[in-house]
Structures are given as C-alpha cells and as structure tokens.
C-alpha cells in the first residue's frame, strides 16, 4: 500500500481518496460519526483531483483522505470552508495515527460558510504549520451536509506571511492514500482508522460541553435496562419440576380461522395483539410530539383544545370554557382544577391498530397477573414440596379469548431451595368453564407419537435466519458481524444464517461467510427464496431483513413465540428515522409489515412456502400474502413489539432493479 512506501507511485499523484456516506441526515460531523457504516463501509469509493468538492446533493457525508506534498520548505497556514460542518485533520508525518484536528467549521450543525469564505470563524484558520517539501503528510477531511441549502467543502493553504490569499489545494500537491479501484466493497483492511474517524476531538468536546450537557441522554424509555433483556442468561428450571403441576386441558382458541376463506391481504384483520406485564416501555413517548394517536383524539381537536376536556375548573364563578383565552388578556395564575385518574391503556383493544405507530405493547392489569400467579405458584410448590420462592415477575404475556379462556406466557425468576436462582418460562391456560384454575394447554388433536402434545416452546430448537441479498456489501458484512456478536454474547450454538444471494457483484458473500465465526452458515444462489436447504422440519426459519439491529435475547424471543403446529411469530420492528441509531432511536413501529417472520419448517412447508410464482423477482405484498395462508392453515400469529429491535434507515439505491418494483400493497 502507498502508506508503506517512501515515495508514492506516479499513478497515485494528483488524486485523493473520496468516500461517500449516503442518505444520512444531520449537518454536523458528529452526526456522520454516528453512521453505522462509518468509516469502513461507505456507499461509494472514488477519487477527487482537488480539495474542493460541491456535488449539489443532500443528506450525505464525505471522508477525503490522502497525502499532501508541499511545494516548498517553510511555514504554512491552512483554512477550511464548508456548508454545512467540516473538519480538516493533518499528521506531522505520513502516519494516519498521528493525525490531529487542525481547523474546522462548526460543531453543532448550524454553522456554515459561503464558498471561499475562509475567515468567518476563528476555528477555520490554523496556526503556523512547518512543512518540508521532500516529505508527505497524511490529511483527512470530514464533511456533513443536510437536506437544506447549498453544499461544498474546500481546503486552502498559503505561506504563513501577512497579506497572502488562500489557494485551494489542487492536484499538483496531493496523492492517494491507496488505490481502491480493484477492491471489493467488503475489503476494508486498507482503510485508515484515525482519531478523526472514531472520536470527537477533545478541543471540540470542550467547546461544546455546555451545549451537550442536557442532551447526552436520549429520551426513549426503551433504552433503560429491563430484566427481559438478559433473562436468557439465567439457568432454566429443570423440566421435570414442571411435570403434572397443572391438569391437562384442550387448547382450542375461538379466534383461529382455520379453513375460513380469507380474501387477498385480509388476514391482517384476524391478527390480534397480546397484553404484557410489567410495562416494557415500548410506547414511543419521545415521538408523541409528532403523533398523539395514542390518545384517540383527532389531531385537529388536540391542536385546538389539547387535553382540557379531562380537566374540571375549580372556580365556579368562571363559566367560560378553560380552553378559550380571556378576551382582555389578564391571566388567572390562581386558577386550579380537579382531575380524575385516567388510564388510556384501558381504552385500547387487542386488534392490530394500523393507524398508531407510536403506541407500545398492550398493558396487562397487575391485579390479574397477581391472581393468576398466586394460583400457579401454589400448584408449583404443591408439586415440588415448597422449594420455590418468587423473586421477580419478569414477563407475563396474555392472549385474550373471551369466549373460551386466556392463554398466558409466564416468565418468573425463582429461588430454588433458598440457594439457586432459576428461570421459569411456560405457557398456561385459564379456561373459563373451569372457573379460574390455570392449566397447561394441549393441542386439540394430539399428533401421533413422537411429537409435541403440550403447547410448549423448545428451549434448544435450531433457529435459521434467512436473508435475501443483492449488492449490499456493507450491510451483509454488518449483518455477519452482528451475528458473530450475538453468538459471543449468548454462547448459543443453535442458530445459523442462510444468505440467499441474488447475483451480488460487490463482494464475495460466500468467502465472507467462510471466514466468519457464526456457528453455522449457508450460502445459497437461487433465483428465488426457498427453504430447500433446511433438512430439519422441526427447526425454525426466521425470514429476515438485512438491515436489522437485533437485541441479544432475539433467539429466545423467536423460540418462545413459535410452537410447531400452533404458533408463528411476527415481531414488530421499530423503523429508525434518517440519522437515528439504536442509541438515539427516533422513528416509529412498523405496524403494517410482516416481513420479519418466524415459523417452523414443517408449518412453512404445510402452507406451501413462499409464493415464488407471483413474487419471484419483485416485492410488495408478499408478506401479507404469506400471512393469509398462515392463518388459513389454522396457525396463530403472535404479534409483539420487541425492545431494542430496530430497522436501520438506509439508502435504497442499488438494492434491486427499479423496474421490478411493485405498486404499494392493496
């Protein structure tokens, strides 16, 4: 590589490396650093012949790097000009590791300059920098542009003498850091990683401290720790301890629509939501400034009157409505009011509300949970000689069936014999005609042995993540890295990734899988998505998107909500907005989409698999069509919002051929 040589090859002269990070909102360099793929996986790698770029584009970030070759010995002064923010880093030698921030335009995203305006801010111009013409010096430019105004970034220099003008550094005095023209997009070993690319410089941090003091913590409640997040790491209770704790009963919910004729895309009407306890804070309270649909008031009413209808003014002599201002303008600061406690959660139903994408999971009343668990703990200790003490209620999920009885997933942290902490995670059924005695649900028609009889989830079942890809090198590499991290955190060997490649040309996907540390990987080249590589019919296929951030408990979440012959799982993902990240999750719940789907291989085959005839080379509606067939075959579809389960914002350019796109669903 160029950096290892004393002199650059002649072909490297007259250019600098340019990396482009597309479709990323914000106007500060700090926002660029938050991009998931920065600095290793840009959308575009190219070169530039001059340190002055103005693409006339929006919502992008640039990283320009290479070497400066001084035309004389002496002291120089540098300056940067840009719209929006930018930084210019220089090393005292050719090593990227020694690069230090020299000049910059802004740090908050609100600062900008006109083209060639090198003296607007004090931070733009450097002190004296001594350079030697026989040497080369590593440099790096970072630039961020939002979706407003003009865009440009340029770096000028001049001898450190009064009265001289800045000249833009052109091709005569720059060279490439390395030649990337023949490299695949997932080849990243050559890309320099510096202080510029990985951290905010201390000088900028110190100057922005007063601005960031109150904004360092994001307002999303979901970011706060929850015992559900790590419950998978607690040892499981012995299965023998749960045998015959409750009497067996038939599990036949009345909302199952087996053999019921469903019109195209109407299965969505037969999907119901579960109630949970305790609160998992999946309600996006920090996004309700834009969407107050949770309160069931019309936006026009809220805009005009707010929530005044829930308030009763204490002053009896003032009969004027509270929401109308006093015509003469004197304000009554002593006005008080009365209010009745209002739980808006109780107004929600378990139908799949497609209009409200900020509301969280339905909340289950604490009194109901206490009643059910008191009975269950009594039966558990009666069967096991009183050796268990309830430490914490981790999670309870209820699927309501008002005609026959409610199904509960009960997850408890227990103390066993006063020594060992164990976890219990089981389905129980509370039949209405038996009063209020819970029981473990069995299937209506038990299959021939061997096979599952109880409605129980398998703790060690293999989960296959099935992902279709095409020319998404940076996302494929990120997905593989995330799966490696999932394995490292959970130590769970019972999962695999199956990448279905639609003739990608930007990376060698098979080689990347071969080099990964994921327990099992399958590379499949096929003109359509299929499950032909899954030999075990009693394993789970999770149809997955490439641009997903997974919580560490994702494997157990999939297993708990998939039961062979009974349950499939369609978790609701939070779709992040432009410029948002898992640590700053602004966005909304994808309540319409069913593309993320877990189902047993045997059930998948039973419903006929993917509709490859109709959706062979296009998308749009295939998830709803699959849902129709799943429901018609008598399966329930569990639908829950998962904490810290995100869909990254991403560019759609280059993903698939635009001519294959289908019109919107319906």
């Amino acid at each position: 590589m160029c950096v290892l040589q004393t002199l650059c090859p002649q072909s490297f002269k007259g250019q600098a490396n340019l990396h482009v990070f597309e479709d990323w909102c914000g106007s500060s360099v700090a926002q660029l650093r938050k991009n998931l793929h920065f600095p290793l996986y840009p959308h575009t790698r190219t070169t530039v012949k001059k340190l002055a770029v103005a693409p006339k584009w929006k919502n992008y970030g640039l990283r320009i790097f290479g070497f400066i070759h001084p035309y004389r010995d002496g002291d120089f002064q540098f300056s940067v000009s840009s719209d929006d923010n930018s930084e210019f880093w220089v090393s005292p030698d050719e090593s990227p590791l020694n690069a230090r921030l020299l000049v910059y335009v802004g740090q908050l995203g609100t600062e900008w300059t006109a083209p060639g305006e090198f003296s607007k801010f004090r931070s733009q111009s450097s002190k004296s920098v001594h350079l030697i013409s026989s040497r080369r010096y590593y440099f790096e430019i970072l630039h961020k542009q939002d979706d407003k105004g003009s865009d440009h970034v340029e770096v000028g220099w001049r001898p450190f003498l009064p009265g001289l003008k800045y000249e833009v550094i052109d091709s005569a005095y720059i060279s490439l850091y390395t030649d990337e023209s023949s490299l695949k997009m997932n080849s990243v070993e050559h890309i320099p990683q510096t202080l510029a690319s990985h951290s905010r410089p201390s000088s900028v941090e110190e100057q922005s401290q007063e601005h960031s003091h109150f904004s360092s913590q994001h307002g999303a409640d979901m970011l706060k720790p929850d015992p559900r997040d790590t419950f998978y790491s607690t040892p499981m209770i012995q299965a023998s301890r749960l045998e015959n704790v409750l009497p067996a009963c038939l599990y036949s919910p009345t909302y199952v629509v087996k053999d019921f004729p469903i019109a195209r895309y109407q299965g969505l009407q037969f999907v119901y939501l579960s109630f949970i306890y305790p609160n998992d804070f999946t309600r996006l309270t920090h996004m309700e400034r834009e969407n107050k649909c949770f309160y069931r008031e019309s936006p026009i009413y809220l805009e005009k009157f707010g929530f005044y209808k829930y308030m009763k003014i204490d002053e009896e002599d003032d009969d004027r409505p509270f929401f109308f201002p006093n015509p003469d303008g004197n304000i009554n600061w002593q006005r008080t009011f009365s209010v009745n406690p209002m739980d808006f959660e109780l107004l929600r139903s378990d139908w799949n509300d497609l209009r409200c994408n900020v509301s969280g999971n339905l909340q289950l009343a604490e009194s109901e949970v206490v009643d059910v668990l008191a009975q269950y703990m009594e039966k558990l200790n009666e069967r096991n000689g009183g050796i268990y003490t309830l430490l914490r209620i981790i999670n309870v999920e209820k699927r309501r069936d008002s005609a026959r009885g409610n199904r509960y997933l009960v997850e408890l942290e227990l103390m066993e014999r006063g020594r060992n902490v164990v976890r219990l995670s089981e389905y129980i059924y509370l039949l209405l005609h038996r009063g209020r005695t819970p029981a473990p649900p069995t299937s209506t028609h038990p299959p021939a042995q061997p096979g599952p009889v109880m409605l129980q989830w398998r703790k060690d079942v293999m989960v296959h993540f099935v992902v279709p890809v095409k020319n998404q090198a940076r996302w494929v590499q990120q997905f593989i890295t995330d799966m490696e991290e999932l394995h490292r955190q959970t130590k769970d060997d019972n999962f695999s990734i199956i990448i279905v490649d639609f003739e990608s040309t930007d990376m060698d996907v098979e080689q990347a899988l071969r080099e990964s540390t994921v327990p099992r990987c399958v590379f499949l080249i096929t003109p359509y998505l299929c499950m032909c590589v899954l030999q075990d019919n009693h394993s789970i296929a999770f149809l997955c998107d490439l641009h997903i951030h997974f919580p560490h408990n994702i494997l157990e979440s999939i297993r708990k909500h998939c039961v062979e012959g009974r349950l499939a799982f369609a978790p609701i993902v939070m779709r992040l907005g432009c410029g948002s990240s898992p640590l700053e999750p602004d966005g909304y719940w994808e309540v319409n989409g069913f593309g993320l789907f877990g189902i047993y291989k045997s059930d998948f085959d039973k419903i006929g698999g993917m509709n490859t005839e109709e959706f062979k080379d296009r998308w749009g509606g295939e998830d709803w069509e699959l849902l129709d067939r799943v429901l018609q075959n008598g399966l329930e579809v569990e639908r829950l919002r998962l904490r810290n389960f995100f869909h990254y914002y991403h560019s759609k350019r280059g993903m698939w051929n635009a001519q294959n796109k289908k019109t919107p669903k319906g």
Side-chain angles (χ1 to χ4, degrees):
M1 295 192 305
C2 170
V3 72
L4 301 179
Q5 302 173 0
T6 303
L7 295 176
C8 283
Q10 193 62 33
S11 60
F12 281 25
K13 292 290 186 68
Q15 305 175 80
N17 297 92
L18 171 61
H19 288 184
V20 183
F21 298 85
E22 297 183 5
D23 293 329
W24 190 246
C25 295
S27 52
S28 69
V29 173
Q31 190 68 23
L32 173 59
R33 293 190 179 97
K34 294 177 183 177
N35 188 299
L36 177 69
H37 300 302
F38 182 84
L40 296 181
Y41 297 99
H43 190 274
T44 301
R45 295 176 184 169
T46 184
T47 60
V48 64
K49 297 180 179 179
K50 192 176 185 179
L51 300 192
V53 180
K56 293 187 178 180
W57 205 13
K58 61 182 181 180
N59 285 337
Y60 69 89
L62 299 180
R63 187 188 189 201
I64 306 172
F65 57 96
F67 297 104
I68 290 176
H69 300 262
Y71 56 86
R72 63 185 287 269
D73 294 350
D75 295 331
F76 286 81
Q77 186 175 26
F78 291 87
S79 184
V80 63
S81 174
S82 65
D83 184 353
D84 296 303
N85 289 183
S86 63
E87 295 177 1
F88 179 60
W89 294 63
V90 174
S91 172
D93 50 40
E94 64 181 26
S95 172
L97 298 178
N98 296 326
R100 295 296 182 267
L101 179 63
L102 193 63
V103 290
Y104 61 93
V105 172
Q107 55 201 23
L108 303 177
T110 58
E111 306 90 342
W112 56 273
T113 72
E117 189 178 15
F118 288 115
S119 58
K120 181 177 181 179
F121 301 103
R122 185 190 300 270
S123 64
Q124 283 181 264
S125 299
S126 73
K127 297 179 181 178
S128 173
V129 179
H130 189 74
L131 303 178
I132 300 175
S133 61
S134 61
R135 298 180 182 177
R136 59 179 184 170
Y137 301 86
Y138 175 83
F139 76 91
E140 186 166 337
I141 302 171
L142 300 180
H143 173 231
K144 186 68 186 73
Q145 169 65 25
D146 63 11
D147 59 348
K148 303 177 183 67
S150 60
D151 62 319
H152 66 92
V153 61
E154 61 269 22
V155 174
W157 62 347
R158 65 184 181 183
F160 197 72
L161 295 171
L164 296 181
K165 294 182 178 180
Y166 286 106
E167 299 288 342
V168 171
I169 304 176
D170 61 26
S171 59
Y173 310 109
I174 59 175
S175 65
L176 292 175
Y177 179 79
T178 189
D179 183 5
E180 301 178 293
S181 59
S182 62
L183 299 176
K184 295 286 189 179
M185 288 300 292
N186 65 321
S187 177
V188 298
E189 295 80 7
H190 65 284
I191 297 177
Q193 300 190 53
T194 66
L195 286 177
S197 61
H198 284 282
S199 66
R200 289 182 63 91
S202 58
S203 59
V204 176
E205 268 185 341
E206 292 167 0
Q207 296 176 38
S208 64
Q209 185 174 2
E210 59 180 300
H211 300 284
S212 62
H213 178 69
F214 295 104
S215 60
S216 58
Q217 293 277 344
H218 191 273
D221 279 338
M222 189 166 54
L223 295 179
K224 296 179 175 64
D226 187 286
R228 293 177 178 90
D229 300 340
T230 56
F231 194 47
Y232 66 86
S233 62
T234 303
M236 188 72 76
I237 190 173
Q238 293 180 6
S240 60
R241 295 289 186 184
L242 303 177
E243 294 176 358
N244 302 318
V245 168
L246 299 174
C249 60
L250 295 178
Y251 179 63
S252 181
T254 58
Y255 48 75
V256 170
V257 292
K258 181 175 175 59
D259 299 326
F260 184 84
I262 299 178
R264 172 62 70 95
Y265 300 152
Q266 295 305 303
L268 204 62
Q269 300 179 16
F270 299 94
V271 175
Y272 299 93
L273 303 177
S274 293
F275 297 79
I276 71 160
Y277 176 88
N279 192 343
D280 62 351
F281 297 101
T282 50
R283 177 178 169 185
L284 305 181
T285 53
H286 64 290
M287 298 302 297
E288 287 180 0
R289 63 184 182 272
E290 302 174 4
N291 188 339
K292 297 185 176 70
C293 58
F294 179 85
Y295 293 100
R296 301 198 169 212
E297 307 289 350
S298 73
I300 297 176
Y301 183 94
L302 284 176
E303 182 70 23
K304 188 173 183 180
F305 304 123
F307 293 96
Y308 294 138
K309 80 176 202 177
Y310 299 102
M311 307 162 71
K312 182 179 180 181
I313 305 306
D314 292 336
E315 291 182 4
E316 297 181 359
D317 59 342
D318 189 353
D319 57 0
R320 187 169 51 252
F322 186 37
F323 42 75
F324 285 117
N326 194 322
D328 57 10
N330 299 323
I331 299 173
N332 184 357
W333 296 112
Q334 282 72 45
R335 175 180 283 134
T336 59
F337 66 93
S338 301
V339 65
N340 292 321
M342 186 65 182
D343 189 349
F344 289 94
E345 289 283 358
L346 298 179
L347 302 178
R348 300 177 64 196
S349 69
D350 59 357
W351 63 286
N352 199 26
D353 188 355
L354 302 182
R355 299 170 301 174
C356 196
N357 56 22
V358 297
S359 58
N361 287 319
L362 299 171
Q363 298 300 300
L364 181 58
E366 184 176 56
S367 58
E368 180 178 349
V369 172
V370 171
D371 180 40
V372 171
L373 294 186
Q375 297 181 67
Y376 184 79
M377 287 301 299
E378 180 181 355
K379 295 292 184 181
L380 179 66
N381 276 317
E382 183 180 296
R383 167 68 176 80
N384 291 282
I387 64 173
Y388 291 107
T389 303
L390 176 61
L391 297 180
R392 284 192 298 178
I393 302 172
I394 301 298
N395 183 53
V396 177
E397 299 171 9
K398 169 191 171 182
R399 173 62 70 89
R400 182 168 60 189
D401 186 352
S402 56
R404 189 158 294 164
N406 301 323
R407 183 234 309 158
Y408 298 87
L409 174 62
V410 174
E411 299 192 278
L412 308 175
E413 185 179 73
L414 306 175
M415 179 67 74
E416 186 178 79
R417 299 184 186 277
R419 298 191 301 266
N420 304 320
V421 176
V422 296
R423 63 184 167 119
L424 181 149
S425 181
E426 293 292 315
Y427 283 104
I428 63 174
Y429 197 33
L430 198 151
L431 285 174
L432 294 180
H433 69 269
R434 287 195 179 185
R436 300 192 63 80
T437 303
T442 64
S443 54
T444 307
H445 304 289
Q449 298 294 327
V453 176
M454 311 291 284
L455 187 69
Q456 294 180 332
W457 64 278
R458 291 173 52 194
K459 280 71 175 176
D460 59 352
V461 64
M462 179 66 69
V463 176
H464 306 279
F465 293 88
V466 184
V467 187
V469 304
K470 181 177 181 179
N471 290 335
Q472 292 283 289
R474 60 198 180 285
W475 287 106
V476 172
Q477 194 62 56
Q478 183 64 47
F479 177 78
I480 294 173
T481 300
D482 289 346
M483 290 291 103
E484 291 174 334
E485 177 65 11
L486 180 66
H487 181 244
R488 190 182 71 82
Q489 289 288 341
T490 64
K491 308 296 190 294
D492 192 328
D493 292 330
N494 292 323
F495 77 94
S496 74
I497 58 176
I498 300 174
I499 293 186
V500 184
D501 185 34
F502 288 76
E503 301 178 339
S504 294
T505 58
D506 60 347
M507 72 174 291
D508 188 335
V509 178
E510 187 174 13
Q511 180 64 24
L513 288 175
R514 192 178 297 117
E515 295 173 353
S516 76
T517 60
V518 177
R520 296 173 180 83
C521 302
V522 176
F523 176 67
L524 187 63
I525 300 179
T526 176
Y528 51 84
L529 186 61
C530 76
M531 301 297 174
C532 52
V533 296
L534 299 187
Q535 302 299 318
D536 183 4
N537 284 333
H538 306 296
S539 61
I540 297 173
F542 188 72
L543 309 181
C544 188
D545 192 284
L546 186 62
H547 315 94
I548 300 296
H549 171 86
F550 296 96
H552 291 154
N553 63 356
I554 185 63
L555 291 169
E556 188 146 299
S557 294
I558 294 171
R559 291 175 180 136
K560 286 187 301 189
H561 298 104
C562 290
V563 177
E564 193 167 10
R566 308 301 297 181
L567 296 180
F569 185 37
I572 304 176
V573 68
M574 183 180 176
R575 187 175 287 272
L576 296 174
C578 182
S580 296
S581 69
L583 294 179
E584 297 180 347
D586 290 341
Y588 60 90
W589 292 110
E590 182 57 85
V591 294
N592 288 285
F594 284 76
L596 304 171
F597 203 85
I599 186 171
Y600 268 83
K601 171 63 162 51
S602 59
D603 293 328
F604 189 76
D605 290 342
K606 181 181 177 182
I607 67 172
M610 295 297 297
N611 184 351
T612 56
E613 291 298 320
E614 187 173 352
F615 301 100
K616 182 176 181 179
D617 55 5
R618 60 190 174 93
W619 75 97
E622 73 282 356
D623 54 341
W624 284 9
E625 191 275 338
L626 177 66
L627 176 66
D628 291 343
R629 290 186 285 116
V630 168
L631 294 171
Q632 284 181 317
N633 279 270
L635 293 175
E636 297 179 57
V637 175
E638 192 65 29
R639 188 75 164 153
L640 285 169
R641 294 160 175 81
L642 292 189
R643 289 170 46 83
N644 303 313
F645 185 46
F646 302 112
H647 182 283
Y648 288 109
Y649 185 90
H650 62 89
S651 168
K652 294 179 174 59
R653 282 189 290 275
M655 288 180 59
W656 306 90
N657 192 330
Q659 67 182 6
N660 289 331
K661 288 186 178 179
K662 188 174 181 254
T663 56
K665 298 172 183 174

